[in-house]
Amino acid sequence: MAQNENIAALAAAGVSVWLDDLSRDRINSGNLAELIATRGVVGVTTNPTIFQSALSKGHAYDEQVKALAAQGADTESAIRTITTDDVRAACDVLAEVFTATGGVDGRVSIEVDPRLAFDAEKTTAQAVELWKIVDRPNLFIKIPATEEGLPAITATLAQGISVNVTLIFSVARYRAVMGAYLDGLRKAKVAGHDLATIHSVASFFVSRVDTEIDKRLEAIGTPEALELRGKAGVANARLAYAEYQDVFDGGAHISTYQHLAAVGGNRQRPLWASTGVKNPDYPDTLYVTELVAPNTVNTLPEKTLEAVADHGEVRGDVVSGTAEAAQAIFDKLAAVGIDLDDVFAVLEREGVDKFEKSWEELLTATTEELQAASTSGGN
């Protein structure tokens, strides 16, 4: 099956296309394999909201839930079994991509329990547990980039485990994430791990930044404020990419990375997350075509993936060299009264809260299904 031309153009420009969704139906039906073959998908990301949605639809999990109920599994262990089984199966579907790309792509991400987002020790412990349970080299453990998550990121990497750092909203926090990554590589080297086998991405959220800032701009209501709507998300990501280049391509911290690269250390690639366009007034491919740059990942909901395949205009690298213009937008945002520090604090808290809510809904639904299966099994 032929690859889509627009997606192929993204790959040629250095963008890895990952699907922001996973379900057992998608795996068992062959849909995931089809997207790899025809839509250039080379990775998959999951989160508690995605799992909650998958388990609430259809009957793909009914037999496993019945079996777990018969075994007397509690809710927490049932969810762990169900989700890790899906992720392991997806890792196997992507194994050939993993091999073909030397471990760069072919990755599947699973997130630690979001209720642990502010507990570094428990986050690290669960990261290690999930790594062992899934038992696939092409797994990424997702750890939120909260302040408490930073030491967990370092500690997890230090054990030779590949990490997808999630819920990054500000450039300042992104700098700290890259520092945590380099610290993790240093500690992994001391512990005797092969750095070449450790990979990481830093998931920088995009559309949610526009959603929050646009709301504030509309509340201000001046022509100067309204003119800035829909510009913050892309500008923020472009500033983040400039920081990435500073660390990995010759800036102030290049000596640190070069020292680690000499012994096999990999780049921590920027990943553009939350790339589904929320505002129908904006182009539906905005957060893909305006963020094309080498050594990046874009994780797309299927709707956005299909939009790009249909009419996405890929113009090559549109990010490198744009930091000054992006900073000018942020200067204008501050000038009209946007408190950017507050924006990013709110987005982080809301991001964790959203995943916690999805996890609680997942717990409730699974508890009910286990109870129903136990009751029906006894008749």
Side-chain angles (χ1 to χ4, degrees):
M1 288 181 279
Q3 285 284 4
N4 175 269
E5 288 185 5
N6 295 339
I7 306 297
L10 281 177
V15 180
S16 293
V17 172
W18 292 4
L19 180 70
D20 192 24
D21 189 54
L22 182 65
S23 67
R24 191 158 297 178
D25 277 337
R26 194 182 284 282
I27 297 167
N28 292 344
S29 68
N31 173 261
L32 178 58
E34 182 181 353
L35 291 175
I36 294 167
T38 66
R39 290 294 182 264
V41 168
V42 293
V44 171
T45 51
T46 66
N47 59 47
T49 302
I50 287 171
F51 277 130
Q52 190 276 329
S53 176
L55 267 72
S56 68
K57 297 175 182 175
H59 303 282
Y61 300 92
D62 290 357
E63 291 303 317
Q64 185 171 26
V65 170
K66 289 179 184 176
L68 289 166
Q71 296 164 18
D74 61 30
T75 302
E76 298 271 357
S77 63
I79 290 173
R80 185 165 56 248
T81 298
I82 291 167
T83 56
T84 55
D85 281 359
D86 277 4
V87 168
R88 187 184 304 108
C91 282
D92 291 343
V93 174
L94 281 154
E96 289 186 10
V97 175
F98 177 73
T99 301
T101 61
V104 174
D105 286 313
R107 297 277 177 172
V108 184
S109 298
I110 187 170
E111 189 153 350
V112 295
D113 185 333
R115 296 171 299 177
L116 307 179
F118 303 103
D119 188 321
E121 189 173 331
K122 289 182 179 178
T123 292
T124 305
Q126 191 176 89
V128 173
E129 178 187 30
L130 290 170
W131 182 260
K132 291 178 179 177
I133 292 171
V134 175
D135 192 27
R136 293 293 186 272
N138 52 332
L139 178 69
F140 267 139
I141 304 296
K142 289 180 82 172
I143 298 176
T146 58
E147 286 187 18
E148 295 83 357
L150 295 173
I153 292 160
T154 296
T156 301
L157 289 160
Q159 298 192 52
I161 297 172
S162 294
V163 173
N164 176 343
V165 183
T166 189
L167 289 177
I168 307 172
F169 295 99
S170 73
V171 173
R173 183 58 54 83
Y174 179 47
R175 289 192 201 104
V177 165
M178 288 188 286
Y181 171 67
L182 295 173
D183 287 345
L185 287 190
R186 279 192 289 263
K187 292 184 177 182
K189 179 177 179 292
V190 171
H193 293 291
D194 179 2
L195 298 192
T197 67
I198 304 172
H199 286 259
S200 183
V201 292
S203 296
F204 202 86
F205 281 53
V206 187
S207 68
R208 294 190 199 180
V209 173
D210 272 338
T211 300
E212 179 64 24
I213 289 181
D214 282 2
K215 179 176 65 177
R216 299 185 184 208
L217 290 169
E218 287 166 4
I220 294 168
T222 64
E224 293 81 6
L226 297 177
E227 177 66 24
L228 293 167
R229 287 178 297 180
K231 296 182 178 179
V234 168
N236 198 35
R238 288 176 170 180
L239 288 171
Y241 190 76
E243 292 295 324
Y244 159 79
Q245 290 179 306
D246 186 50
V247 171
F248 295 102
D249 284 329
H253 305 284
I254 190 63
S255 61
T256 300
Y257 171 63
Q258 285 180 335
H259 175 73
L260 293 165
V263 289
N266 296 294
R267 295 165 176 263
Q268 183 187 50
R269 291 185 295 167
L271 180 154
W272 311 131
S274 181
T275 56
V277 175
K278 308 292 193 295
N279 189 331
D281 293 335
Y282 302 157
D284 56 2
T285 62
L286 175 67
Y287 304 123
V288 181
T289 57
E290 295 305 313
L291 291 176
V292 175
N295 295 308
T296 59
V297 179
N298 199 307
T299 178
L300 290 70
E302 189 170 16
K303 181 180 179 182
T304 306
L305 177 67
E306 291 303 323
V308 173
D310 180 64
H311 54 265
E313 296 182 12
V314 180
R315 310 183 307 279
D317 183 356
V318 295
V319 178
S320 297
T322 62
E324 187 175 342
Q327 184 59 52
I329 290 172
F330 268 63
D331 291 343
K332 290 178 182 178
L333 288 167
V336 299
I338 298 296
D339 184 342
L340 293 164
D341 288 340
D342 184 67
V343 166
F344 297 134
V346 166
L347 286 170
E348 180 179 290
R349 182 66 256 178
E350 287 183 348
V352 174
D353 286 347
K354 180 181 178 182
F355 286 163
E356 282 184 354
K357 181 181 178 182
S358 295
W359 196 258
E360 294 292 347
E361 291 173 351
L362 181 58
L363 287 169
T364 300
T366 305
T367 298
E368 292 172 353
E369 290 184 25
L370 287 169
Q371 290 172 344
S374 296
T375 301
S376 64
N379 292 334

